[in-house]
Amino acid sequence: MEITSIKKEGAVIVSVQGRMDAVTSPAYENAMKELIEKESLFILDCNGLDYISSAGLRVILATAKTLKGKSGKIVMANVNGTVREVFDISGFGSIFTMYDSTDAALADLK
């Protein structure tokens, strides 16, 4: 899994590529812990995310809870295909605000 981040218009866009599962989700969790120390508004860009397991969902939820405690927020962008199906089946689709693109997310977060 590859994780990149860029700050744009007051939010940090975190792009995840590959698989987020029990093996790779700790890397995401550690990367987000570092970012949350400095920032509070995030967009998780799932455009390159091929697969997500329950372990991946757990770390995303943990991230959201941490941010909520800091009056921060995380939204999702580009959640498509099988990853979208997992979000919908698990109920995460109703927990998180989802956007079709990072630009749409940025426009709404302003």
Side-chain angles (χ1 to χ4, degrees):
M1 178 174 64
E2 183 176 333
I3 303 166
T4 57
S5 64
I6 183 170
K7 188 166 183 178
K8 186 175 181 182
E9 300 178 28
V12 178
I13 300 171
V14 178
S15 300
V16 181
Q17 296 190 354
R19 298 172 57 92
M20 188 181 294
D21 55 23
V23 174
T24 59
S25 59
Y28 168 83
E29 190 170 28
N30 291 334
M32 289 304 296
K33 280 181 182 175
E34 289 182 24
L35 290 169
I36 289 172
E37 290 178 11
K38 303 173 206 165
E39 305 292 338
S40 61
L41 187 56
F42 292 89
I43 299 168
L44 181 58
D45 183 2
C46 298
N47 192 41
L49 188 61
D50 300 323
Y51 171 81
I52 188 163
S53 71
S54 59
L57 293 173
R58 184 194 61 77
V59 295
I60 290 173
L61 187 59
T63 299
K65 286 183 177 181
T66 301
L67 283 167
K68 188 174 181 180
K70 296 180 62 175
S71 299
K73 185 175 185 180
I74 186 168
V75 299
M76 308 294 152
N78 298 313
V79 183
N80 301 311
T82 56
V83 174
R84 179 61 183 242
E85 290 177 15
V86 171
F87 269 72
D88 290 342
I89 291 170
S90 65
F92 275 57
S94 61
I95 295 172
F96 292 99
T97 305
M98 294 202 214
Y99 297 92
D100 291 337
S101 68
T102 56
D103 287 340
L106 283 169
D108 196 44
L109 293 174
K110 286 183 183 176

